[in-house]
Amino acid sequence: MKEFFGIGGYERTPEGAYSWQHLVFVFVLMALMIFLAVFLGLKNRKKDEKTKNTVLIIAAILIDVIEIIKLIVFCTRGEGISELRTNLPLFLCSIQLIALPLAAFTRGRVQEASKDFVFIFGILGGLMGIIGAAQNFNAYPVLGIENVASGLTHSIAGFASLYIGFSGSASMKKKNIPIVYGILAFFMAAAFAANALLDYNYMFLRTPDGTPYQLFYNMLGGNPILYPISVILLFVVYVAVFYLVFYLIQKKADKRVSK
């Protein structure tokens, strides 16, 4: 357990990105994420909203408990409270630490919009965190608190997104679109403020740090104003395209039913 939590430093050498251990770990997480989302989603699809929401409540509790345990370990094994500076839930993948509880515990339009937000961004952030964070496996052992906690929280985010879709819990009502954008705007503003106050790079609004945003960063010459605007516009366009595709699929499905 001491070695798993990295207390006193890891004695094991990290297995490395795309090692067989890394690939097996990621495959197991994704397989469980997809299987549970499809199985529970289809099982609860025709049940009442309270039953459907119970799964989201459990997911919301799990994702935050795992994250809290991780932060406690980080803060007590030598880094101190300053470790919190770089672990605020202000990356795309970690926003679900707040958005998922909103989807599970709130009511009315706020809950509807929060579920839509998780539905739209949960799978994207989950996949980015599970597959895209390969560099973490160069820095830490596969079976260490960093990679296990990150893998679990991102898998829960992806699971929640898929579950909302398969269970029919997403409202995707047009009247709630402004609230979805409002949630996104809130986190973007918080990321801007945190970057300025803590000298960090939340949401990759300062530099791309090896993400696909590098393309826009290079095109814009690293302009400190135009580059973050391009990142924000990507999110805005992503949400719009997601809604458009959803409505097109829904329209096609309705036509089939009417026939």
Side-chain angles (χ1 to χ4, degrees):
M1 295 302 291
K2 180 181 178 181
E3 177 67 8
F4 173 80
F5 289 113
I7 299 173
Y10 290 106
E11 295 181 5
R12 293 167 293 157
T13 301
E15 292 84 354
Y18 305 109
S19 62
W20 70 265
Q21 295 95 331
H22 169 209
L23 295 177
V24 168
F25 181 70
V26 168
F27 174 80
V28 171
L29 285 178
M30 291 189 64
L32 286 172
M33 176 185 77
I34 295 171
F35 170 76
L36 289 174
V38 175
F39 174 74
L40 292 174
L42 294 179
K43 179 182 177 182
N44 292 338
R45 189 172 183 84
K46 295 183 179 180
K47 295 185 178 179
D48 59 89
E49 289 301 318
K50 184 177 180 180
T51 302
K52 292 180 181 180
N53 202 53
T54 299
V55 175
L56 291 179
I57 290 174
I58 295 172
I61 293 172
L62 282 176
I63 196 172
D64 280 352
V65 166
I66 292 170
E67 185 68 12
I68 290 170
I69 291 173
K70 183 191 79 172
L71 291 177
I72 291 173
V73 171
F74 284 4
C75 290
T76 56
R77 71 181 182 183
E79 291 88 342
I81 198 70
S82 62
E83 183 69 21
L84 297 177
R85 181 181 71 88
T86 59
N87 283 281
L88 297 176
L90 294 175
F91 283 111
L92 176 63
C93 46
S94 56
I95 285 175
Q96 304 306 325
L97 293 167
I98 297 174
L100 185 50
L102 284 175
F105 293 106
T106 58
R107 293 292 181 268
R109 287 184 63 188
V110 172
Q111 184 180 50
E112 288 180 348
S114 298
K115 284 183 179 180
D116 292 347
F117 187 90
V118 174
F119 180 44
I120 294 169
F121 284 107
I123 189 63
L124 177 63
L127 291 178
M128 288 177 65
I130 298 172
I131 299 176
Q135 71 276 5
N136 289 344
F137 294 88
N138 286 326
Y140 310 106
V142 171
L143 296 182
I145 183 67
E146 286 86 356
N147 286 322
V148 171
S150 176
L152 289 175
T153 53
H154 288 93
S155 296
I156 293 172
F159 159 82
S161 174
L162 292 174
Y163 171 79
I164 288 172
F166 281 102
S167 66
S169 298
S171 71
M172 299 298 281
K173 294 177 181 177
K174 293 179 181 179
K175 67 178 183 179
N176 290 333
I177 292 178
I179 301 178
V180 172
Y181 274 119
I183 295 172
L184 178 62
F186 170 81
F187 283 111
M188 282 295 181
F192 265 114
N195 288 341
L197 294 172
L198 304 175
D199 190 26
Y200 202 55
N201 190 29
Y202 285 112
M203 286 285 193
F204 303 108
L205 291 172
R206 285 187 164 183
T207 58
D209 284 350
T211 65
Y213 298 135
Q214 187 70 51
L215 175 64
F216 297 93
Y217 189 82
N218 293 340
M219 288 173 56
L220 298 169
N223 188 289
I225 296 176
L226 294 180
Y227 167 69
I229 290 176
S230 71
V231 174
I232 294 171
L233 287 177
L234 278 176
F235 286 124
V236 172
V237 171
Y238 171 75
V239 173
V241 171
F242 196 101
Y243 269 102
L244 177 61
V245 172
F246 180 86
Y247 290 144
L248 289 175
I249 293 174
Q250 188 179 55
K251 185 177 180 181
K252 193 173 182 178
D254 290 342
K255 283 185 178 179
R256 287 182 179 178
V257 172
S258 62
K259 289 181 180 179

